[in-house]
Amino acid sequence: MEDDGKSPPDSAYGEPKKYDPNFKGPIQNRGCTDILCCILIVLGIIAYVAVGIVAWTYGDPRKVIYPTDSKGQFCGQVGTPNEKKPFLFYFNIMKCASPLVLLQFQCPTTQICVENCPDRFLTYLSVATTQQNFDYYKQFCRDGFNNFTKSPVEVLRDRDCPAMITPSKPFTRRCFPAINTQKGVVMVGNSTTFDDGRGDKQRNVTDLLEGAKKANVVLEARQVAMKIFEDYTVSWYWIVIGLIIAMVISLIFVVLLRFLAGIMVWVMIVLVIAVMGYGIFHCYMEYARLKGQSGSDVTLKDIGFQTDIRVYLHLRQTWLAFMIILCILEVIVILLLIFLRKRIMIAIALIKEASRAVGFVMSSLVFPLFTFLLVCLCIAYWAITAVFLSTSNEAVYKVFNETQCDFSGNTCNPETFNTTNVTRVCPDATCQFAFYGGETYYHKYLIVFQIYNAFMFLWLANFVIALGQVTLAGAFASYYWAFKKPDDMPAFPIFSSLGRALRYHTGSLAFGSLILAIVQMIRILLEYLDHKLKGADNKCARFLLCCLKCCFWCLEKFIKFLNRNAYIMIAIYGTNFCTSARNAFFLLMRNIIRVAVLDKVTDFLLFLGKLLVVGCVGILAFFFFSRRIQIVQDTAPTLNYYWVPILTVILGSYLIAHGFFSVYGMCVDTLFLCFCEDLERNDGSLERPYYMSPELSQILLKKDADTLKSSESQS
């Protein structure tokens, strides 16, 4: 037998497997592996459920949606006294210019819930003296206020009513001054000055503007989030339709790949190049169309960050950047295809064999849906638990005052505050709702629960992915090692493999996913530290952190690669995780030439298939949500940010395409590993034939020999 292209035997990479006439694929008689990790993940899940129950008991998601008044009550919440009062009104918006806003996320002024924001300039002194507009003014006072028992000075001292009201408009359910600019002059209503209601001189409306700006700093993120949420509420069914289209395209492509593997791969390559070419053409047309238009020559640096992506689409520089990026990608893809043209032929032969395997295990095409649903369940549990944990704090009241006071910032009780010594020492002090927190052990360790929530999500998500990989690997390994297909295969390969994985190897899957989750958690912490150090001047620390991020990124990629091949060996031999990882690594190192020549080229071709699905669906979503399709222009929903559903459809399409193409990817990896094992066990003779199809075996062995001769001639 001629040299088949394998690397020379090396004891450092273990000894090749010997011929075993009784070996016929995945071992049936196997025992439980990595029991300790199995127990550990069960205990982790029990604790995770306990954390969720506690969070759901104390949490209140309404705190994320509704504004709260100075008593901590929700504005506009159904079933509460403020049900018909959806807007939050600030007694003195100018107090929001205080640094306390940025420190405690709360303006140091009385806040109440109102039915409507004020629409006129009024002061309490004027309405109390003339009794005109008093009924209108009274709706902006505290509940139960009665002007007949107190003088105006006492009312303002006790903060029963605001000293003034100004024309305002609701913004994120909060009343802010209706500020507008006319010819560069800042105005509220039709005035540039106002009476502050305290007998002082007229003040400029820029004081109101400064207070509104500081209050708005706290609300900008929530405003964007609420607009995105609104976009989802009006476009969710179109997003679902887009994802269904992506699923149908992926399914059709995979089914055609089963019967027309060679043709479909070349069609896929041509279409990917064509889609990128159309993208370049469209970017150029938009770039040319904007020439000469007002404001289109503004640079991205000058315009800064904008939440509305449509602003960028009116800039020529944006389309020029898109065109350059697509041109670079197009050139890279074409060059790769040119230099890998011979290897692509071999990869196509391997995909054809994978197509035959998928044909015998057709249930593998729908199995990713099971994995997808489990991952969605993990995401949903993590997200819900995170929201409830973040909103499980209690209302905390602090002492707020306008002048210097030793009690400022102390915790207080609003029910007994007027009877305490604080009001005598600091007459202008008030007890107001500050934020949601708590002093119990539960509230002190909320951050620990959040970290545990994130870690368990990573662990369980990786476990579900590992379960899907080992199930597919077991099913396709049973195909490969069946000498008479499908007679020697199990009746239900997927269910048989899934049953073996859950019964015997839950601990091994938990072990592999635990290692990966730890590395991912460290990467998240490094990203957090990097975010904190962005404003630091310590370049050495930034450099060290950058190196650590790079190292752990590489480590995560290597662990994913090692885990994937370890799960294949677990599915075949039933060994524990460490033994399987070692055997898989040594087997790949003994066949390193084949790994470089075949496996990665096949992954590249499958990646092009994912890009094709994402590109087609993404272009369709862009034209639909941007209302550029005349036929359905009136059907498209009105959105704040039309990039929200587009990006969602693109991301979802990639995940769906990845789910379908991962079947082929796992099939190719399993067949490839089994083929390397087959070459070491057998010699291709009549007594010990290869299990791979004869035509593919000849192609692979011929290619190995050519590659080895080429490398020897170069050396």
Side-chain angles (χ1 to χ4, degrees):
M1 185 77 180
E2 295 183 0
D3 194 342
D4 58 1
K6 292 185 290 186
S7 299
D10 191 341
S11 58
Y13 299 132
E15 295 296 330
K17 293 284 185 180
K18 303 300 182 182
Y19 174 69
D20 183 4
N22 297 321
F23 180 76
K24 295 182 179 180
I27 297 175
Q28 301 298 324
N29 297 326
R30 55 180 72 194
C32 296
T33 56
D34 297 306
I35 300 176
L36 181 61
C37 288
C38 180
I39 297 174
L40 192 62
I41 195 172
V42 171
L43 294 178
I45 292 174
I46 293 174
Y48 196 22
V49 172
V51 170
I53 293 174
V54 174
W56 300 337
T57 302
Y58 289 94
D60 190 352
R62 295 178 302 174
K63 299 172 185 177
V64 180
I65 303 174
Y66 299 98
T68 52
D69 61 13
S70 296
K71 297 180 180 179
Q73 298 175 339
F74 299 112
C75 296
Q77 172 62 33
V78 178
T80 64
N82 295 325
E83 178 178 355
K84 297 182 179 180
K85 299 178 179 180
F87 304 114
L88 186 69
F89 172 74
Y90 298 91
F91 270 28
N92 189 352
I93 190 68
M94 291 180 292
K95 297 291 181 63
C96 296
S98 168
L100 286 174
V101 175
L102 303 179
L103 295 176
Q104 298 184 343
F105 296 97
Q106 182 76 5
C107 290
T109 184
T110 305
Q111 303 162 39
I112 63 172
C113 300
V114 295
E115 293 184 16
N116 297 290
C117 296
D119 58 6
R120 66 197 74 173
F121 274 113
L122 289 174
T123 64
Y124 181 77
L125 292 176
S126 64
V127 298
T129 304
T130 63
Q131 293 297 314
Q132 294 181 358
N133 294 315
F134 187 81
D135 290 336
Y136 176 81
Y137 199 97
K138 188 177 179 181
Q139 64 178 314
F140 303 105
C141 299
R142 292 179 182 270
D143 292 336
F145 166 70
N146 190 342
N147 67 309
F148 298 109
T149 59
K150 291 183 178 180
S151 65
V153 176
E154 292 175 326
V155 169
L156 297 179
R157 182 199 63 190
D158 297 337
R159 293 176 176 81
D160 291 326
C161 292
M164 63 166 183
I165 59 174
T166 60
S168 305
K169 292 182 179 179
F171 176 71
T172 64
R173 298 194 179 191
R174 290 160 175 83
C175 296
F176 286 103
I179 298 172
N180 59 81
T181 305
Q182 296 182 8
K183 297 182 179 181
V185 180
V186 179
M187 306 178 68
V188 175
N190 295 318
S191 303
T192 58
T193 60
F194 66 95
D195 186 349
D196 64 2
R198 296 183 179 275
D200 299 333
K201 63 181 181 180
Q202 294 284 315
R203 303 182 63 171
N204 196 292
V205 297
T206 53
D207 295 336
L208 292 174
L209 179 62
E210 184 64 25
K213 281 184 177 179
K214 284 293 181 68
N216 192 41
V217 169
V218 182
L219 303 172
E220 280 184 352
R222 179 174 291 183
Q223 174 207 9
V224 174
M226 291 302 296
K227 286 187 176 181
I228 291 175
F229 179 76
E230 291 175 1
D231 289 342
Y232 278 126
T233 57
V234 298
S235 64
W236 66 268
Y237 46 91
W238 293 110
I239 294 175
V240 172
I241 292 174
L243 297 180
I244 292 175
I245 293 174
M247 185 180 300
V248 172
I249 294 176
S250 300
L251 184 60
I252 292 175
F253 195 92
V254 169
V255 171
L256 291 177
L257 201 63
R258 160 68 183 91
F259 299 101
L260 304 169
I263 297 175
M264 289 303 299
V265 169
W266 287 112
V267 169
M268 174 182 66
I269 292 173
V270 172
L271 287 179
V272 168
I273 296 175
V275 169
M276 287 187 177
Y278 173 77
I280 295 172
F281 171 76
H282 181 77
C283 291
Y284 174 77
M285 294 302 295
E286 291 292 331
Y287 177 79
R289 183 181 63 84
L290 292 174
K291 184 178 181 179
Q293 290 191 12
S294 175
S296 62
D297 292 326
V298 178
T299 63
L300 294 172
K301 183 178 180 181
D302 292 337
I303 201 171
F305 174 74
Q306 301 290 331
T307 56
D308 190 353
I309 198 172
R310 289 172 293 187
V311 175
Y312 298 106
L313 298 182
H314 290 288
L315 304 179
R316 299 187 73 207
Q317 195 177 82
T318 302
W319 294 104
L320 179 62
F322 286 161
M323 184 169 60
I324 294 174
I325 293 172
L326 286 175
C327 287
I328 294 174
L329 292 176
E330 183 89 334
V331 171
I332 291 175
V333 171
I334 292 176
L335 290 177
L336 285 174
L337 292 174
I338 293 174
F339 287 109
L340 298 176
R341 62 189 183 279
K342 293 184 178 179
R343 296 180 181 180
I344 287 175
M345 299 301 297
I346 308 299
I348 289 175
L350 193 56
I351 291 177
K352 285 183 179 179
E353 185 66 22
S355 298
R356 282 192 283 268
V358 171
F360 284 105
V361 192
M362 288 297 291
S363 57
S364 61
L365 292 178
V366 297
F367 181 76
L369 295 177
F370 172 74
T371 305
F372 177 73
L373 291 176
L374 289 181
V375 172
C376 288
L377 181 63
C378 294
I379 295 175
Y381 187 89
W382 163 78
I384 294 173
T385 303
V387 170
F388 274 86
L389 282 173
S390 61
T391 59
S392 59
N393 293 308
E394 298 174 346
V396 174
Y397 297 86
K398 296 284 187 178
V399 176
F400 290 91
N401 59 287
E402 300 179 17
T403 59
Q404 181 65 28
C405 179
D406 295 336
F407 297 98
S408 178
N410 291 356
T411 305
C412 59
N413 186 343
E415 297 180 358
T416 60
F417 180 73
N418 291 331
T419 61
T420 61
N421 189 45
V422 178
T423 55
R424 290 190 292 271
V425 177
C426 305
D428 62 340
T430 58
C431 182
Q432 298 183 26
F433 167 76
F435 56 87
Y436 286 101
E439 304 295 332
T440 65
Y441 282 105
Y442 169 73
H443 294 102
K444 289 181 179 179
Y445 292 101
L446 266 179
I447 184 63
V448 177
F449 292 147
Q450 287 283 23
I451 294 175
Y452 182 74
N453 181 35
F455 175 75
M456 283 302 300
F457 163 70
L458 295 175
W459 192 4
L460 292 178
N462 288 321
F463 177 83
V464 169
I465 294 173
L467 179 62
Q469 291 176 344
V470 77
T471 300
L472 291 174
F476 293 128
S478 65
Y479 160 83
Y480 183 92
W481 296 106
F483 193 74
K484 294 181 180 180
K485 303 175 177 60
D487 297 338
D488 294 342
M489 293 175 58
F492 302 100
I494 289 291
F495 291 105
S496 300
S497 181
L498 179 62
R500 287 195 302 269
L502 290 175
R503 182 178 179 182
Y504 298 110
H505 306 302
T506 299
S508 297
L509 302 181
F511 191 8
S513 55
L514 174 63
I515 296 174
L516 186 57
I518 292 174
V519 174
Q520 290 173 338
M521 199 68 193
I522 294 174
R523 287 195 62 202
I524 292 175
L525 294 177
L526 290 176
E527 291 292 342
Y528 174 77
L529 291 177
D530 185 46
H531 177 73
K532 287 293 184 182
L533 292 176
K534 277 187 176 179
D537 295 330
N538 194 333
K539 295 183 178 179
C540 181
R542 293 293 305 277
F543 174 76
L544 179 61
L545 190 61
C546 184
C547 293
L548 287 174
K549 287 169 60 179
C550 180
C551 291
F552 276 95
W553 180 85
C554 296
L555 180 60
E556 181 184 358
K557 296 299 179 183
F558 174 75
I559 290 177
K560 284 184 176 180
F561 172 77
L562 188 63
N563 283 7
R564 186 181 180 90
N565 291 282
Y567 297 147
I568 296 175
M569 302 301 281
I570 290 173
I572 298 174
Y573 295 105
T575 52
N576 61 47
F577 176 79
C578 292
T579 302
S580 300
R582 182 192 61 199
N583 293 340
F585 180 74
F586 286 169
L587 179 61
L588 293 173
M589 292 303 297
R590 293 196 298 267
N591 297 269
I592 191 63
I593 295 177
R594 295 190 182 92
V595 174
V597 171
L598 300 176
D599 199 37
K600 296 301 126 187
V601 178
T602 308
D603 290 343
F604 172 69
L605 292 179
L606 296 176
F607 176 71
L608 290 183
K610 300 174 190 176
L611 287 184
L612 178 61
V613 174
V614 173
C616 294
V617 179
I619 291 174
L620 180 62
F622 172 76
F623 280 101
F624 176 77
F625 288 110
S626 61
R627 300 192 171 193
R628 301 197 180 192
I629 303 178
Q630 296 294 332
I631 301 176
V632 293
Q633 190 173 28
D634 297 333
T635 309
T638 302
L639 303 168
N640 297 302
Y641 312 121
Y642 68 78
W643 53 264
V644 171
I646 292 175
L647 292 181
T648 305
V649 169
I650 290 176
L651 179 61
S653 299
Y654 179 81
L655 294 177
I656 291 172
H658 177 73
F660 281 98
F661 281 91
S662 66
V663 174
Y664 269 83
M666 198 66 200
C667 183
V668 169
D669 289 346
T670 303
L671 297 182
F672 178 75
L673 214 60
C674 290
F675 177 68
C676 294
E677 186 91 359
D678 192 10
L679 290 179
E680 294 183 350
R681 286 179 175 274
N682 308 302
D683 58 7
S685 63
L686 293 176
E687 294 80 12
R688 291 184 290 173
Y690 297 131
Y691 285 82
M692 180 74 78
S693 62
E695 57 272 18
L696 182 58
S697 300
Q698 293 176 3
I699 294 175
L700 293 177
L701 294 176
K702 182 179 182 300
K703 180 63 182 178
D704 287 342
D706 294 341
T707 304
L708 185 60
K709 289 179 182 178
S710 176
S711 61
E712 288 176 350
S713 62
Q714 290 176 0
S715 61

